[in-house]
Amino acid sequence: MRERPGLPPVAWSYVAAVVAGAVFVLATASYEGFKPQTFVVLAALFLICDSTPALLNLERARVSLSFSACLASVVLLDPEGAALVGACALAAFQRVALVKRVYNAAQFALCGYIAGTVHELLRPVGPHARWRPAVDLELLPFAGALFAYVACNLMMVGGILLLSRQATVRALIDEIRLLTPGLLGYGSFGLLIAGVYQAVGLFAPVLVLLPLFVARWAFAQTRAQQRAHEATLAALCQAVETKDYYTRGHSERVSRGAVMIAEEIGMSPARLEAIRFAGMLHDVGKLGVPTKVLQKDGPLSEAEFAAIQLHPMRGLEIIREIGFLDEALTGIMHHHEKLNGRGYPMGLAGEEIPEFARIIGVADAFDAMTSTRSYRPARSVAEGVAELRKCSGTDFDPQMVEAFLRALEKTEWDPPRQVVVPEGEHVQTTRQDHDDPSTPIKVMGEGPW
């Protein structure tokens, strides 16, 4: 739970209910057969792990490795013991506000108790359990406990985020979808902890912490590599936009619009990430177009227009060796193709145009129309929508247009900031925009293209 002052009354009520539930569970437990030595070992392991949270694949996501110890207690102790281990978060070493500390301890305790209960319900009992190997006995019940713990944890964290207005339902669903695999992976260490403890006793934490922290290191390296990739892409986008003050932020907005469409048509998380990169880099080929052509006033010569038409192919040449982009390359290469076959660089038509390119084409045109240019003010969102509808079926895929319009009804489109051109910089006055279907490019000696 992220700390934010001024929680709404309903969020405070939610926190109070969770804390009250945890207090009730801990106060009414019988603790029959309680194992103090095992509890002390697991509590110590819980606090050590809690002091070094791990990064996952979301910017704001942190996961406490301590819940591996809590899941081990599900196997080694009863549900009440697991709840008590979870409640140790109250003594965590991290500096957090008292309310957050109490809430985290309460939700860990409830998650441990629920997971322990599921484990007991699934664990075989009776004469057959005496001779079957222990690992066989634990796999199914532990898997059930693991899923129950992760689901309970995500629900409780999601509940406070929603009630405190720190996340929307849609954003929360997307984050849960990305977080769940990592949480399940870390949680599975609980079975390893339990197995090692049963084999070597008090030395178990020493043996288990090494692979646990190696896993944390591996996740951190993956996240660092992802950040390095994104920084590289952002630098490329910035290099493109330095050529024209009026296109600052264009790549970022096209990326956001493309993701809106992709989410609306139900793309998988992996492809959503690829379309986000494709939107960021769709105009990277402009690095190979002379600045005087991009900033020229009035009609273009045939050679100049040919240079403009080549920018998608130049973009592919620049980034084709970046392996993690994968499908994004087709979106960059073909985002100026038109459904009627009159686009460029290859004149593809209909379903010949890759899906990524059809998505980026819609987002690209809409942002160009609703952004201020040197030769005209920004059009309104309503005017941009009208132009998309007008060009649907000729320039743009109708399915992608409708998906974007549905997304606009759910998410407000943030207009670009007002452009401030430094004194003395060259400013265009009459140039047409190759991204804007309502202002077709003119070539010397020809009508509108």
Side-chain angles (χ1 to χ4, degrees):
M1 183 179 70
R2 290 189 305 173
E3 194 177 329
R4 181 171 293 186
L7 287 177
V10 65
W12 279 112
S13 300
Y14 180 81
V15 170
V18 171
V19 172
V23 170
F24 176 80
V25 167
L26 294 171
T28 58
S30 65
Y31 300 108
E32 184 178 349
F34 184 67
K35 304 173 184 176
Q37 180 176 291
T38 302
F39 168 76
V40 170
V41 171
L42 292 174
L45 185 61
F46 182 98
L47 292 173
I48 292 171
C49 292
D50 190 66
S51 65
T52 53
L55 291 171
L56 289 180
N57 53 343
L58 286 176
E59 186 63 34
R60 70 175 184 176
R62 303 289 187 274
V63 57
S64 172
L65 299 181
S66 58
F67 84 99
S68 297
C70 200
L71 280 161
S73 68
V74 163
V75 178
L76 299 173
L77 303 171
D78 54 18
E80 291 82 1
L84 198 59
V85 170
C88 289
L90 197 61
F93 300 131
Q94 297 184 56
R95 291 186 176 181
V96 294
L98 179 61
V99 173
K100 181 177 180 180
R101 183 183 293 269
V102 171
Y103 179 81
N104 285 342
Q107 65 107 350
F108 276 140
L110 288 177
C111 290
Y113 182 79
I114 292 171
T117 302
V118 171
H119 182 268
E120 282 201 342
L121 291 174
L122 294 177
R123 192 170 188 177
V125 294
H128 295 291
R130 296 177 181 174
W131 56 269
R132 290 175 60 187
V135 67
D136 289 341
L137 292 176
E138 289 300 343
L139 284 179
L140 177 59
F142 182 83
L146 173 60
F147 278 97
Y149 190 100
V150 170
C152 182
N153 179 256
L154 289 173
M155 287 175 60
M156 289 188 179
V157 173
I160 193 63
L161 289 176
L162 289 175
L163 294 176
S164 60
R165 304 188 185 96
Q166 296 184 45
T168 63
V169 174
R170 187 184 187 91
L172 197 60
I173 291 173
D174 291 338
E175 291 193 3
I176 287 174
R177 186 170 53 187
L178 292 171
L179 284 172
T180 301
L183 293 174
L184 293 173
Y186 276 123
S188 62
F189 275 94
L191 185 59
L192 174 63
I193 295 171
V196 173
Y197 184 84
Q198 289 173 332
V200 300
L202 294 176
F203 292 101
V206 177
L207 297 176
V208 170
L209 282 175
L210 179 60
L212 193 60
F213 283 105
V214 167
R216 176 185 178 276
W217 177 84
F219 271 96
Q221 293 303 304
T222 300
R223 180 59 182 158
Q225 186 179 44
Q226 185 179 9
R227 285 181 174 177
H229 289 163
E230 292 181 0
T232 301
L233 302 188
L236 286 171
C237 293
Q238 187 176 14
V240 173
E241 293 177 357
T242 55
K243 289 196 167 193
D244 187 350
Y245 282 98
Y246 286 91
T247 60
R248 298 290 169 88
H250 172 67
S251 296
E252 182 182 345
R253 293 190 298 274
V254 171
S255 177
R256 180 161 52 87
V259 169
M260 289 167 61
I261 297 172
E263 288 178 336
E264 198 64 36
I265 63 175
M267 266 194 186
S268 66
R271 297 188 75 211
L272 281 175
E273 189 74 354
I275 195 72
R276 183 170 73 86
F277 289 144
M280 288 175 62
L281 294 172
H282 75 284
D283 273 344
V284 71
K286 287 182 179 179
L287 290 173
V289 179
T291 303
K292 65 180 181 180
V293 174
L294 294 174
Q295 296 187 351
K296 182 178 180 181
D297 297 342
L300 301 172
S301 68
E302 290 187 6
E304 290 167 339
F305 182 52
I308 291 287
Q309 286 183 305
L310 284 174
H311 86 267
M313 299 183 71
R314 293 192 184 280
L316 183 65
E317 292 171 0
I318 291 171
I319 62 172
R320 70 190 312 163
E321 299 302 324
I322 304 179
F324 69 89
L325 291 177
D326 298 325
E327 194 176 2
L329 298 176
T330 63
I332 294 165
M333 173 72 171
H334 298 291
H335 71 277
H336 278 298
E337 306 285 2
K338 295 185 179 181
L339 212 64
N340 58 13
R342 299 185 63 187
Y344 60 87
M346 298 181 66
L348 302 182
E351 293 296 322
E352 293 176 337
I353 305 172
E355 186 178 41
F356 272 30
R358 284 179 275 140
I359 290 173
I360 294 172
V362 173
D364 188 24
F366 183 79
D367 183 69
M369 290 186 286
T370 55
S371 300
T372 296
R373 293 291 187 261
S374 58
Y375 50 89
R376 61 153 175 80
R379 290 173 169 81
S380 68
V381 170
E383 289 174 313
V385 168
E387 190 67 28
L388 287 182
R389 290 191 185 279
K390 176 183 174 183
C391 298
S392 178
T394 55
D395 289 19
F396 309 120
D397 183 337
Q399 179 187 0
M400 304 309 174
V401 171
E402 290 304 315
F404 185 58
L405 299 186
R406 290 196 305 271
L408 283 179
E409 294 176 358
K410 303 173 185 176
T411 306
E412 184 177 357
W413 184 261
D414 295 326
R417 297 177 181 177
Q418 185 176 1
V419 177
V420 178
V421 180
E423 186 177 353
E425 290 288 339
H426 175 71
V427 178
Q428 306 93 337
T429 56
T430 60
R431 179 171 62 87
Q432 284 80 36
D433 194 335
H434 70 284
D435 289 333
D436 185 347
S438 63
T439 58
I441 293 178
K442 292 182 180 179
V443 181
M444 291 180 182
E446 298 183 10
W449 181 79

